[in-house]
Amino acid sequence: MDAAAIAAALREIAQHLTFRGENQFKVRAYENGAQALESLGEDLGKVIAEKRLTQVRGIGSSLAEKIEELHRTGATALLDELRAGMPPGVLEMARLPDMGPKKAKALHDALGVSSVAELEAACVAGKVRELKGFGQKSEDKILAGIKRASSQSAQGGGGRILLSSALGVGEPLLAYMRAAPAVRAADLAGSLRRWRETVADLDMVVGSDDAAAVMDHFVAFPGVGEVEARGDTKCTVRMQTGLQIDLRVVPPGDYATALHHFTGSKAHHVVIRGRARERGLTISEWGVERLDGSGKLEVGSEAALYQLLELPFIPPELRENEGELEAADGGDRFEDLVEARDVRGLIHCHTTYSDGKNSVEDMARAADALGAEYMTITDHSPAAAYAGGVGLERLLQQWDDIDRVQPKVKVRILRGTESDILEDGALDYPREVLERLDVVIASIHSRMKMDAEKMTARLVAAMRHPVFKIWGHPLGRRLLEREPFGCDVEAVLDAAAASRAAIEINGDPHRLDLEPKWIRLARARGLKFVVSTDAHSIEGLGYLRYGVATARRGGIRKSEVLNARGVEEFLKAVRPAA
Ligand code: DGT
Ligand code: CA
Ligand code: CA
Ligand code: ZN
């Protein structure tokens, strides 16, 4: 079995374990292992042979054993046993949107359906609506979900991977390519350069006078499995993990226009090309030409390209035709979009007090090394028991710990919590405890499947609490795993605006929540934001860049980001007792 197939097997194990209601840490361990394999970037066989598997981040010793077994024999007893207990078709049902293991199992038990096709037939025959706890509405929803899933797989939607996994391959590849003597300029392009949350493949553009030499170097990149196509200017390879990489090599003079073309998006290009024609120009992947046939224009940069169209430079994160061109027409220059260097405080950090991997001291030292002015220690509250929610006594201990560590570091350590928004909209911890904290992030971690009306009421009620200051990972999505939960987002944003709560832009690459389309509506209401890491380890502090990119995609300006301000101003805006 190759790395991609083993990753799929590990994900299947994770789904079975979820199905069985096993401990979330165990489930997460398999998911992390799968992700580690997908972004391995080198030959798995070699890693195993050199006994380096446990050195890969996300792979512990027991997981390493299973991976070796799968690699060697193509099977593992655990998965065989799990499959015997649960037909694969039912697992597939569980993967439908809004379904999940519990519902799939209930349908399997009640109707005897063991595949998506059988489930669809049962819905069409009206059998689901007759079941206790289901009804007409859920029957319609299931049918809609089946439709959505099948159209997604028709578009190859199943093949997308997380941005962070793609960067795990793309960044080493970029460094490798730039080191080649024939390479004059190189960049990653496509959805990755636009910082989309998931990508289908990697795209790279290289400027060079010697395309053959560039391609020879490219196909020798460690981890390349197959060369799928190779021409004079284009080359496509597939990594052993299954990830496809498209390379385009152009003469250095064409570099800017080629990079622009391969950055996309297609939707942005459609509008840009229309504007070019209005100005007597035509833009294609080959460059910019005059419509009168007088030849190609020299375009030295993307900014110059936009200038030809009387537009300001539009940052790649915004190139989706989701309002950026209208904004430009309205006079927006996009110059003050938030940048990583604007961020002064690392927000939403977990420690070993709850489910983090590192101590308060380790996290603070790491924040120092990153040059942060302040950080918030915001571990889980007691209701999040599965994540080691911190009881009152331990919370007091943590405050002592912070006092002990503070003199040793430059970064100002703020006391906080990630307080669970309970089912009725109450916040976890008594109010007098919350008021003694510097920062409260309020998030939902449980009961995410309540109907949209109830969820809206729950959130609106939570936002009425005077201590509600930051709405953590707002819609609870987990990319490629879980849809955002249903609620009337606009009504909730109205409530946030009324209570002057800030919106978190969560940088965990599995979340990237709130997403750009809602960020734009939040901005329109004058809401403020915190760009967070949701770090559960020292490495997790590096998630800031994903938060910043997501904020930029939503058009967020430096002035709208509370943690781009000094600590006193930040506290004035978020302190629960203020
Ligand atoms: P992905 O790969 O689905 O995550 O998204 P992209 O945007 O990376 O799409 P991809 O890899 O198919 O193409 C990379 C860029 O190349 C795309 O953003 C724009 C450009 N491009 C590719 N095909 C076309 C096309 O048919 N028309 C236009 N105008 N541009 C294209
Ligand atoms: Ca792509
Ligand atoms: Ca591509
Ligand atoms: Zn959380």
Side-chain angles (χ1 to χ4, degrees):
M1 255 190 186
D2 65 8
I6 297 173
L10 296 182
R11 284 199 195 283
E12 192 181 333
I13 292 175
Q15 275 163 341
H16 277 291
L17 295 178
T18 309
F19 218 115
R20 295 195 163 187
E22 293 265 357
N23 171 325
Q24 297 216 20
F25 287 116
K26 209 163 149 188
V27 173
R28 192 57 57 75
Y30 282 99
E31 283 168 354
N32 289 343
Q35 214 198 320
L37 289 181
E38 282 159 1
S39 49
L40 192 59
E42 59 178 322
D43 181 34
L44 176 63
K46 193 158 165 262
V47 177
I48 291 177
E50 292 170 4
K51 307 211 182 313
R52 286 188 288 114
L53 205 47
T54 51
Q55 289 166 26
V56 177
R57 212 159 71 205
I59 300 181
S61 58
S62 79
L63 199 59
E65 268 172 39
K66 295 220 171 50
I67 293 171
E68 286 182 34
E69 192 185 352
L70 283 160
H71 182 70
R72 204 175 54 242
T73 68
T76 170
L78 173 65
L79 185 56
D80 293 346
E81 182 197 312
L82 289 166
R83 276 181 181 158
M86 178 57 55
V90 182
L91 204 60
E92 209 175 301
M93 282 164 48
R95 285 189 210 121
L96 289 169
D98 303 317
M99 177 68 71
K102 269 198 214 136
K103 251 196 238 174
K105 180 88 167 48
L107 289 163
H108 171 68
D109 291 347
L111 298 169
V113 291
S114 300
S115 68
V116 173
E118 286 171 22
L119 174 63
E120 188 174 11
C123 287
V124 171
K127 286 189 189 151
V128 172
R129 75 186 76 157
E130 287 162 10
L131 291 180
K132 212 174 129 215
F134 279 90
Q136 176 82 53
K137 234 169 122 184
S138 23
E139 191 174 275
D140 295 345
K141 240 172 134 177
I142 292 171
L143 274 173
I146 292 173
K147 223 175 176 172
R148 218 159 77 219
S150 79
S151 78
Q152 262 171 22
S153 63
Q155 297 159 14
R160 300 188 75 82
I161 62 168
L162 287 185
L163 173 64
S164 53
S165 306
L167 279 168
V169 180
E171 287 184 327
L173 171 65
L174 184 59
Y176 168 87
M177 292 302 290
R178 284 181 174 163
V183 172
R184 298 274 294 275
D187 279 288
L188 294 162
S191 49
L192 183 138
R193 184 165 179 241
R194 304 197 310 279
W195 292 83
R196 289 294 299 250
E197 44 273 83
T198 62
V199 308
D201 67 358
L202 293 190
D203 304 282
M204 175 174 271
V205 181
V206 166
S208 172
D209 292 312
D210 188 351
V214 171
M215 288 185 198
D216 287 344
H217 186 66
F218 177 59
V219 300
F221 180 61
V224 167
E226 241 172 285
V227 179
E228 301 217 318
R230 179 169 170 168
D232 294 337
T233 63
K234 288 186 197 183
C235 183
T236 295
V237 299
R238 196 168 286 281
M239 300 295 284
Q240 281 147 1
T241 57
L243 178 66
Q244 180 182 311
I245 309 179
D246 291 336
L247 171 71
R248 168 61 71 95
V249 188
V250 298
D254 290 343
Y255 186 71
T257 51
L259 177 61
H260 183 264
H261 173 79
F262 287 102
T263 297
S265 68
K266 281 173 205 163
H268 179 82
H269 283 169
V270 168
V271 183
I272 293 285
R273 290 176 178 193
R275 292 196 180 209
R277 274 189 297 275
E278 288 165 14
R279 287 166 179 77
L281 301 170
T282 167
I283 298 180
S284 73
E285 62 179 294
W286 311 110
V288 186
E289 284 175 65
R290 288 195 200 288
L291 282 172
D292 63 15
S294 63
K296 209 152 125 176
L297 274 70
E298 267 187 40
V299 181
S301 67
E302 287 187 321
L305 176 66
Y306 282 108
Q307 207 169 15
L308 285 172
L309 307 176
E310 293 161 72
L311 286 167
F313 174 78
I314 300 181
E317 296 93 324
L318 291 176
R319 298 181 196 165
E320 301 288 351
N321 190 29
E322 286 175 359
E324 71 277 14
L325 292 149
E326 293 79 356
D329 288 338
D332 203 334
R333 271 33 231 155
F334 311 112
E335 279 162 351
D336 47 351
L337 288 179
V338 64
E339 293 178 53
R341 61 159 185 245
D342 298 332
V343 175
R344 298 166 70 171
L346 290 171
I347 311 304
H348 198 158
C349 305
H350 293 270
T351 71
T352 45
Y353 278 82
S354 66
D355 57 352
K357 280 200 201 125
N358 295 102
S359 65
V360 171
E361 180 162 351
D362 288 347
M363 293 295 277
R365 288 188 187 279
D368 255 5
L370 292 169
E373 289 173 33
Y374 53 99
M375 73 188 304
T376 77
I377 300 294
T378 39
D379 275 305
H380 288 285
S381 67
Y386 70 90
V390 181
L392 212 46
E393 209 171 305
R394 296 249 305 142
L395 187 67
L396 296 175
Q397 278 171 24
Q398 185 176 62
W399 295 355
D400 290 342
D401 207 5
I402 290 173
D403 291 342
R404 181 185 64 78
V405 173
Q406 184 63 81
K408 302 192 201 176
V409 293
K410 284 211 276 302
V411 66
R412 167 103 174 257
I413 311 170
L414 302 177
R415 293 172 177 177
T417 180
E418 181 178 15
S419 168
D420 262 44
I421 299 174
L422 306 177
E423 191 171 358
D424 59 357
L427 299 185
D428 204 9
Y429 287 126
R431 176 159 167 190
E432 48 295 359
V433 174
L434 293 174
E435 283 185 343
R436 290 183 59 194
L437 292 162
D438 296 317
V439 188
V440 174
I441 297 171
S443 320
I444 286 184
H445 293 110
S446 60
R447 302 223 145 246
M448 275 168 276
K449 290 194 175 159
M450 53 174 44
D451 72 50
E453 225 168 284
K454 277 201 193 128
M455 184 59 92
T456 306
R458 175 184 184 182
L459 285 164
V460 170
M463 287 175 183
R464 292 215 176 97
H465 292 288
V467 298
F468 190 108
K469 300 283 176 160
I470 302 174
W471 185 19
H473 46 72
L475 297 180
R477 71 171 174 179
R478 286 193 63 89
L479 294 163
L480 307 175
E481 293 167 32
R482 187 171 77 208
E483 294 285 311
F485 49 67
C487 66
D488 182 344
V489 181
E490 297 213 48
V492 178
L493 290 175
D494 287 339
S499 73
R500 306 225 298 234
I503 310 288
E504 179 183 62
I505 309 300
N506 188 295
D508 179 341
H510 293 271
R511 293 188 180 274
L512 303 181
D513 183 12
L514 202 58
E515 63 185 289
K517 69 173 175 187
W518 300 125
I519 292 176
R520 288 191 279 273
L521 294 181
R523 288 190 67 227
R525 286 163 171 78
L527 281 155
K528 297 284 186 280
F529 303 88
V530 299
V531 180
S532 84
T533 63
D534 203 351
H536 285 70
S537 65
I538 287 171
E539 297 87 62
L541 294 172
Y543 291 166
L544 182 66
R545 64 175 178 158
Y546 299 110
V548 169
T550 305
R552 290 170 62 85
R553 291 180 58 213
I556 294 178
R557 309 300 144 124
K558 177 185 176 185
S559 60
E560 295 165 327
V561 176
L562 297 177
N563 55 321
R565 302 179 181 177
V567 66
E568 292 310 327
E569 264 198 78
F570 173 75
L571 283 173
K572 210 153 62 185
V574 305
R575 201 174 239 154

